[in-house]
Amino acid sequence: MKREKCESLIQAREKINEIDQHLVELIAERQFYADQALRFKKSVQDIQSPERVEQVLIKVRDLATEQDLDPVLVEKIYREMIQHFIQRELKEFRP
């Protein structure tokens, strides 16, 4: 997404609203694919997969750093999202 300097508070808020729309759409898409992945998981360990969680967290921290964004913030957001998806998967899991 292209970044542009805003000329007013209204314009800045409009851009934030657009970004929020995209973020929610992307989270919904991520949830869709997490739901798809559940079909291939054979155990609770596959769902909780601490190794995979750590891989994702390392990746997003690196991405945050590349974007000059606080990696601690990004990790917190991802930890919360991942835990939510894990709980969702555990409720649906049928071995």
Side-chain angles (χ1 to χ4, degrees), residues 10-59:
I10 291 171
Q11 184 183 18
R13 286 180 175 166
E14 287 172 352
K15 290 293 182 186
I16 290 168
N17 290 342
E18 287 176 25
I19 293 165
D20 288 344
Q21 175 73 32
H22 292 296
L23 283 171
V24 170
E25 289 169 0
L26 288 170
I27 293 168
E29 188 173 351
R30 193 180 197 289
Q31 178 176 288
F32 173 81
Y33 287 108
D35 290 348
Q36 294 296 303
L38 178 60
R39 297 181 7 228
F40 305 102
K41 296 178 181 180
K42 309 267 189 262
S43 69
V44 169
Q45 180 62 24
D46 287 345
I47 292 171
Q48 294 174 332
S49 188
E51 318 81 37
R52 172 65 179 150
V53 171
E54 284 308 309
Q55 288 173 349
V56 171
L57 293 175
I58 289 167
K59 180 185 69 168

